[in-house]
Amino acid sequence: MEWKTLLSSKRERESTGRPKSADLRSEFEKDYHRIIGSASFRRLQDKTQVFPLDQSDFIRTRLTHSLEVSSFGNSLGQNIGENILKYRKNSGFTPQMKEDISHILQCAGLIHDIGNPPFGHFGEVAIREWFMRNLPKLTFFGQKVEDLFTEQMKQDFYHFEGNAQALRLVTKLHYLVDEHGMNLTYALLNTIIKYPVSSTGINPDSGNIKDKKMGYYFADEKIFREVTGATGAGKNRHPLTYILEAADDLAYKTADIEDAFVKGFITYYTLEKELAPLDRMIEREHPEAAFKPLEKLHRYYERGIRKGVNDPESYAVKNWIVSAQGFLISCATFGFTSNYDRIMAGSFEQDLFYGTFGEKLMDLLGDMAYRYVFSSMDIYKMEVAEAAILDYLMDRLVRAVLYYDTDARQDTIDKRVVSFISDNYKNAYKFQAKGKGEEEKLYLRLLLVTDYVCGMTDSYAKRLYQEMNGMI
């Protein structure tokens, strides 16, 4: 892979607007303004990161998380770009490419979660499991829907994935000028494709991180191939995808701990206890390490005491989070630059923290969040309620769209339910369904349901559920 093609500024619809001299922004800077002005981006302010429908102003939403990922991506892009310039002068890499990388990553951070449904990652699980329970039972004009679909069509629903939905949303569903969605640059689109495989190509046992999940739907295979062909990434991960993933991982793993502390799921002493074995391991195996997590936490606590702050424990935890983020940025930078040749050859199979000093800290933070937050009774209760909302909405919407756009007569309630779906999504369906056979149109109608549900905010999903059940 070569940077010249990887940083492709091509768009599905090329601009025919103002002369270039009238707009001094790069193509990737234009992407940024298209994103932040979109309704889909604004909806992230009312979508769950960890704690759904939380009343606290402190707790992160998908919007604030995405802004943090954008910031980390930008920083990593600057660090890595500078390293490539300094140590790989024969690669054809230019200072402008360094700037382009930072802008692409900044944009990618903003949209990496834009396709996720309400209620966070649990929403993805709930939709996936709805299809696993119900798709085998669905019939269409007396035939089992499963028998009408190709294997890839079926697997798209059984492996429903927010990452694939993000690509679909920005290329097809955000109808602004025409059917090309936000019409973003191919370099940016390729960066958000974390898993360049179809639903039938998933292989979590391959050992290669790119095969873990689905990256695109059957309905979006054409744009996937156009994008990856233009950038030259093909079936490989785009190099910037590794950086985006690292920015996302370090953002949510550190933020989950901070949010959990503020919500009372963990305390200063919990963090102290959890970090102790890691510090002992570092002292034993890497005594030269510059960042010793527990030692750093104690220093911030002592500084808080000296400063006379009201809550030295909170002071220590929050400052420790910032320090850990800086350390993990340096680890991800090292992970990319030390594996540069393999990443550019498409043969690097791990994430950027693999084999670095930060790997064990990242593992610990993820494990802590799972044990203290995601496995808590409070979260379980919320997830049961969220599942009830999503199951009901999926039941009613799928039933309503099954015979939409066919010659079959729809009952009155189904017509009413279809009317809830925005014209934007229905117009996108009609454009994509044009000239297709009945089986593929049915597949697209089921995608119309997931498109609509994924476009919902947490509050809207809850309110629609209440209104449809007469809970006014």
Side-chain angles (χ1 to χ4, degrees):
M1 292 182 281
E2 298 291 338
W3 287 112
K4 188 174 181 181
T5 51
L6 286 167
L7 303 181
S8 171
S9 60
K10 186 178 184 214
R11 302 178 190 274
E12 196 172 6
R13 172 179 38 79
E14 295 295 351
S15 175
T16 56
R18 293 173 295 174
K20 196 167 181 63
S21 58
D23 192 339
L24 300 180
R25 297 171 299 166
S26 73
E27 291 302 312
F28 308 117
E29 289 173 298
K30 292 175 187 175
D31 281 344
Y32 182 85
H33 293 281
R34 291 176 187 222
I35 294 163
I36 62 170
S38 71
S40 302
F41 179 66
R42 288 194 297 276
R43 287 191 195 104
L44 294 174
Q45 67 188 306
D46 188 18
K47 286 197 173 189
T48 295
Q49 178 59 23
V50 176
F51 301 99
L53 302 169
D54 195 85
Q55 300 301 308
S56 167
D57 290 338
F58 180 89
I59 300 303
R60 289 164 173 85
T61 64
R62 284 281 176 195
L63 180 64
T64 49
H65 165 70
S66 297
L67 291 169
E68 289 174 338
V69 176
S70 176
S71 175
F72 289 139
N74 187 15
S75 297
L76 282 166
Q78 292 284 349
N79 288 358
I80 291 168
E82 187 60 35
N83 181 280
I84 297 171
L85 279 175
K86 190 171 181 180
Y87 297 109
R88 303 175 190 280
K89 294 180 181 176
N90 298 325
S91 66
F93 193 85
T94 66
Q96 182 57 53
M97 288 177 174
K98 171 190 167 184
E99 292 306 309
D100 289 343
I101 280 175
S102 294
H103 288 135
I104 291 166
L105 288 165
Q106 187 176 33
C107 292
L110 296 179
I111 60 173
H112 79 286
D113 275 349
I114 205 166
N116 280 46
F119 310 128
H121 286 298
F122 180 76
E124 289 178 280
V125 174
I127 293 172
R128 200 178 300 139
E129 291 184 351
W130 187 93
F131 280 112
M132 292 175 75
R133 290 193 308 271
N134 293 284
L135 189 59
K137 296 186 287 187
L138 283 180
T139 59
F140 181 67
F141 287 117
Q143 287 186 274
K144 291 184 69 174
V145 169
E146 271 200 325
D147 294 339
L148 297 171
F149 284 175
T150 66
E151 189 62 26
Q152 187 175 351
M153 288 177 182
K154 287 185 290 188
Q155 295 304 324
D156 280 359
F157 295 113
Y158 293 147
H159 293 92
F160 170 79
E161 177 61 43
N163 290 291
Q165 189 66 27
L167 177 66
R168 179 168 174 77
L169 188 150
V170 298
T171 58
K172 300 271 182 73
L173 304 180
H174 185 82
Y175 196 97
L176 185 62
V177 176
D178 55 24
E179 70 277 7
H180 301 306
M182 293 186 190
N183 198 36
L184 302 172
T185 57
Y186 283 1
L188 173 55
L189 293 177
N190 206 163
T191 298
I192 66 168
I193 300 172
K194 289 177 69 174
Y195 310 102
V197 296
S198 70
S199 57
T200 54
I202 299 169
N203 183 7
D205 299 322
S206 73
N208 193 326
I209 196 168
K210 76 178 183 66
D211 300 329
K212 281 174 59 178
K213 298 178 182 178
M214 168 178 72
Y216 60 91
Y217 296 113
F218 166 73
D220 307 319
E221 190 163 350
K222 181 173 178 285
I223 187 63
F224 168 79
R225 299 206 179 283
E226 284 180 14
V227 166
T228 56
T231 63
K235 295 181 179 179
N236 301 313
R237 259 193 170 188
H238 192 291
L240 298 189
T241 306
Y242 291 95
I243 306 175
L244 172 64
E245 181 178 56
D248 183 22
D249 288 351
L250 81 88
Y252 84 76
K253 287 193 176 182
T254 54
D256 285 357
I257 298 303
E258 186 176 15
D259 287 356
F261 174 79
V262 170
K263 293 287 289 182
F265 284 87
I266 65 171
T267 66
Y268 169 87
Y269 300 102
T270 307
L271 184 58
E272 185 181 46
K273 180 187 74 174
E274 294 285 348
L275 292 176
L278 183 57
D279 249 37
R280 288 195 293 271
M281 184 277 293
I282 292 173
E283 191 62 49
R284 185 173 62 252
E285 299 179 16
H286 308 287
E288 77 286 0
F291 185 85
K292 295 175 181 174
L294 181 58
E295 184 179 303
K296 183 70 74 172
L297 181 68
H298 286 159
R299 284 183 186 174
Y300 282 124
Y301 181 81
E302 290 159 7
R303 184 197 290 178
I305 296 290
R306 289 197 304 273
K307 285 180 171 289
V309 300
N310 288 333
D311 190 346
E313 295 168 10
S314 178
Y315 176 89
V317 171
K318 291 176 181 177
N319 277 279
W320 182 87
I321 293 290
V322 174
S323 181
Q325 288 171 342
F327 165 68
L328 291 168
I329 284 174
S330 68
C331 290
T333 300
F334 177 79
F336 189 95
T337 54
S338 62
N339 293 289
Y340 180 83
D341 292 337
R342 293 171 64 196
I343 288 171
M344 297 302 289
S347 61
F348 186 60
E349 299 184 346
Q350 310 295 336
D351 64 59
L352 296 188
F353 294 104
Y354 180 78
T356 72
F357 284 163
E359 182 182 14
K360 284 189 169 54
L361 177 58
M362 289 288 283
D363 289 345
L364 174 63
L365 296 178
D367 184 56
M368 282 182 64
Y370 176 77
R371 286 185 285 115
Y372 291 102
V373 182
F374 297 111
S375 298
S376 68
M377 192 62 66
D378 287 347
I379 294 294
Y380 281 170
K381 286 178 181 177
M382 285 190 287
E383 288 177 346
V384 169
E386 292 156 11
I389 292 171
L390 289 173
D391 282 356
Y392 178 82
L393 293 177
M394 291 294 295
D395 285 343
R396 296 310 302 263
L397 287 162
V398 168
R399 174 186 160 183
V401 304
L402 211 55
Y403 293 98
Y404 169 67
D405 192 34
T406 71
D407 294 331
R409 181 181 175 279
Q410 279 190 292
D411 69 33
T412 304
I413 295 300
D414 286 346
K415 287 180 182 177
R416 301 285 190 272
V417 171
V418 169
S419 75
F420 298 163
I421 302 175
S422 76
D423 289 340
N424 184 48
Y425 293 136
K426 285 185 282 196
N427 288 337
Y429 158 76
K430 287 172 183 174
F431 180 85
Q432 294 167 59
K434 203 175 295 181
K436 299 290 195 302
E438 286 305 314
E439 295 84 358
E440 192 166 341
K441 286 167 72 174
L442 175 58
Y443 162 79
L444 290 171
R445 288 199 294 278
L446 293 189
L447 279 183
L448 174 60
V449 171
T450 53
D451 291 341
Y452 177 45
V453 171
C454 287
M456 295 179 185
T457 62
D458 293 7
S459 296
Y460 179 81
K462 179 182 177 183
R463 187 169 65 251
L464 182 60
Y465 169 79
Q466 291 172 331
E467 289 171 348
M468 290 175 75
N469 280 281
M471 300 160 61
I472 301 171

